[in-house]
Amino acid sequence: MKAKLKPKSSISDKNCAEILCIGSELLLGNIVNTNVRWIAEELSSIGINHFRQSSVGDNIDRISNIVREISSRSNLLITTGGLGPTPDDLTTEAIASAFDCKLYERKNLWEKILNKISRTNNTNYSGLKKQCFFPEDAQIINNPSGTAPGMIWTPIKDFTIMTFPGVPTELFTMWRESGKEYIKQNFSEGLTLRSNTLKFSGISESRIAEKIEDILCLKNPTVAPYADLGTVKLRITSKASNPNEAQALINPVKDTLKSKFPKYFFGEGEATLASVIYKELLKRKETIVFAESCTGGLLSSEITSISGSSRIFKGGIIAYSNELKESLLNISPTIINTHGAVSKEVAESMAINIKQNLKSDWSIAISGIAGPGGGNDLKPVGLVHISIAGPDNYILNLKKLFNPRLDRIAIQKLSVNECLNSLRLILLFKDTKLF
């Protein structure tokens, strides 16, 4: 059941939110701050301007200082973390201190907290009681799945603070049950922000940007490029009075971008190269197998991350040593001794033999030097040979040389991306000139 929160009495003309994530573990790099990304996406979805994100450690003075600073420039602050029962959970106390306000016990909360925990005879729960103290006029945000409630508090005119736990599952539930609706009612301009993300592979961010300079200057929708390892994303964001109108602004821009890069575009939203391969092979009723060396199973992991992948993926062999290449993949010792394990000849034999042995329609084989050691002048770190074998004796051999300054994991991931994108181009475009 969704909580009913009282509406805010007055709203500032400036509609600007900030996110403050609290916890020394964030500054130390002990955990990845996924909360801030999630909240940012949620704010965008309801049309809230959001220009800054901050992180601060578990120190009452530093938390108080940054909260006061934010109050001078924004009218909505959303915090995560620091609401628990331990001594370093200081968020509520620090926020109250920022505005010289006392905390008062909400006695009704204590019984709710006790009802949520499994009590034993020898356990002292006194530490949990600090979670019952709030400013006198603060509204409570119920926490259905944890013991730490949040609050909505307006300590000064035109500045509201909403606090949430740092535990993602608790944050998500509290936000969906009450927090999001409160923000929509009190801070939204009535506009909807909508975003679509297009994904591209085999082309650089700079090359895309050069070809769409005019589109990057649009105001509504806006188009923003950003690169991930092996892929480029274009995020198209529009603002309108309702979702349908917002999407109508996006659609023509999206169609234009697709038409400019037809062979590099591979999907939208949550699509991956592996999911594109899966759908195409499923449609064809064909199967695939992998023979991996330098990627150590990463290619197989990428395809098996898709539910139902067993319908197209029969399996793979990780043949890291020359001995296993010979015994499991039937690679001739003569080929290995003559050309080396990292060579076109070995990769091609791996692809042909595993396809035949496992009775599959397609196969991909990969052998390379992921580093940081193992390279030489003739075969440097970053050298990767890929072979793709298909029906009717089809074979494609690729030689890639990735930046040797990249770390081992990056070279492995780029190699997997190259395998999947090359197969995508073969399946969808049948154009070997692309290589």
Side-chain angles (χ1 to χ4, degrees):
M1 182 176 179
K2 291 188 176 180
K4 299 293 184 180
L5 299 173
K6 292 181 288 185
K8 186 173 180 289
S9 57
S10 62
I11 304 298
S12 169
D13 289 336
K14 59 174 184 176
N15 179 18
C16 178
E18 289 195 36
I19 303 171
L20 176 63
C21 299
I22 299 166
S24 297
E25 66 275 12
L26 299 173
L27 301 182
L28 294 171
N30 297 142
I31 64 171
V32 177
N33 189 356
T34 56
N35 286 342
V36 71
R37 175 183 175 184
W38 188 86
I39 295 172
E41 290 176 340
E42 287 289 301
L43 290 174
S44 293
S45 74
I46 54 179
I48 300 298
N49 292 323
H50 158 233
F51 301 125
R52 295 199 194 195
Q53 302 168 356
S54 305
S55 296
V56 65
D58 298 309
N59 178 282
I60 192 166
D61 293 330
R62 285 192 282 273
I63 297 171
S64 295
N65 289 339
I66 195 169
V67 168
R68 279 194 296 269
E69 177 188 324
I70 292 170
S71 71
S72 68
R73 63 177 179 245
S74 298
N75 72 336
L76 175 62
L77 170 62
I78 299 165
T79 75
T80 68
L83 300 185
T86 61
D88 62 346
D89 288 312
L90 301 167
T91 297
T92 306
E93 181 182 353
I95 290 173
S97 175
F99 301 98
D100 298 319
C101 178
K102 294 181 179 179
L103 298 177
Y104 297 87
E105 182 181 356
R106 304 292 179 96
K107 293 183 179 180
N108 63 312
L109 292 178
W110 181 235
E111 189 60 35
K112 291 181 180 179
I113 290 173
L114 291 177
N115 288 335
K116 289 179 180 179
I117 59 180
S118 175
R119 282 178 273 186
T120 62
N121 293 331
N122 299 322
T123 304
N124 182 1
Y125 295 105
S126 59
L128 292 171
K129 203 155 193 175
K130 69 180 292 186
Q131 298 175 132
C132 301
F133 286 79
F134 293 90
E136 189 172 21
D137 56 344
Q139 293 188 62
I140 303 302
I141 305 177
N142 180 47
N143 184 344
S145 55
T147 63
M151 71 173 179
I152 300 175
W153 187 39
T154 304
I156 59 175
K157 184 181 178 182
D158 294 330
F159 181 62
T160 296
I161 304 169
M162 301 179 72
T163 65
F164 295 89
V167 179
T169 53
E170 296 180 22
L171 160 65
F172 300 162
T173 301
M174 294 166 69
W175 179 274
R176 288 166 178 152
E177 287 201 353
S178 49
K180 184 176 183 177
E181 188 59 32
Y182 179 86
I183 295 172
K184 286 174 66 176
Q185 290 180 6
N186 291 279
F187 294 91
S188 175
E189 297 173 332
L191 297 178
T192 295
L193 262 69
R194 192 172 187 89
S195 292
N196 286 183
T197 301
L198 306 185
K199 296 183 176 181
F200 304 82
S201 187
I203 187 171
S204 68
E205 180 184 9
S206 59
R207 187 175 171 193
I208 287 180
E210 287 174 2
K211 294 180 176 293
I212 60 169
E213 287 184 4
D214 55 332
I215 297 176
L216 293 177
C217 293
L218 293 175
K219 300 300 183 183
N220 190 24
T222 60
V223 178
Y226 53 107
D228 201 352
L229 195 63
T231 62
V232 177
K233 301 174 185 177
L234 292 177
R235 186 184 63 200
I236 314 167
T237 304
S238 67
K239 182 182 287 190
S241 58
N242 61 65
N244 289 337
E245 289 183 9
Q247 187 63 47
L249 291 171
I250 288 174
N251 288 338
V253 177
K254 183 164 66 172
D255 292 341
T256 299
L257 291 171
K258 288 181 180 180
S259 67
K260 283 183 176 292
F261 310 100
K263 292 183 179 179
Y264 300 107
F265 168 75
F266 69 84
E268 298 183 37
E270 299 302 314
T272 64
L273 288 169
S275 69
V276 173
I277 298 298
Y278 167 77
K279 290 176 182 177
E280 184 62 24
L281 290 179
L282 192 64
K283 184 171 69 176
R284 293 165 171 249
K285 298 181 179 179
E286 293 177 340
T287 59
I288 193 167
V289 293
F290 300 145
E292 300 184 63
S293 183
C294 65
T295 48
L298 194 60
L299 181 57
S300 299
S301 176
E302 191 72 16
I303 204 78
T304 56
S305 67
I306 300 169
S307 176
S309 56
S310 60
R311 299 171 70 183
I312 59 100
F313 181 59
K314 301 186 76 171
I317 292 175
I318 302 171
Y320 213 70
S321 69
N322 290 344
E323 179 184 359
L324 289 186
K325 287 182 177 70
E326 295 170 11
S327 62
L328 296 181
L329 294 172
N330 307 119
I331 308 301
S332 166
T334 302
I335 293 179
I336 294 176
N337 293 332
T338 302
H339 302 284
V342 180
S343 62
K344 179 192 78 171
E345 290 78 9
V346 167
E348 180 177 304
S349 295
M350 289 168 66
I352 292 171
N353 292 355
I354 195 171
K355 175 179 175 291
Q356 179 179 341
N357 294 347
L358 299 188
K359 297 179 174 56
S360 180
D361 299 294
W362 293 89
S363 68
I364 299 178
I366 182 166
S367 183
I369 305 169
N376 55 45
D377 292 340
L378 293 177
K379 295 184 178 182
V381 169
L383 174 65
V384 175
H385 284 278
I386 298 167
S387 288
I388 300 175
D392 302 319
N393 297 317
Y394 177 90
I395 190 77
L396 174 71
N397 294 311
L398 300 170
K399 177 183 177 180
K400 304 298 295 185
L401 186 59
F402 298 110
N403 189 334
R405 291 189 293 272
L406 292 172
D407 64 37
R408 182 177 181 83
I409 299 300
I411 290 175
Q412 289 176 323
K413 288 182 177 179
L414 286 171
S415 299
V416 168
N417 185 87
E418 191 69 34
C419 290
L420 294 174
N421 191 51
S422 298
L423 180 59
R424 177 187 71 88
L425 293 171
I426 294 168
L427 294 174
L428 297 180
F429 299 101
K430 304 179 182 64
D431 187 357
T432 55
K433 293 181 181 179
L434 290 165
F435 307 98

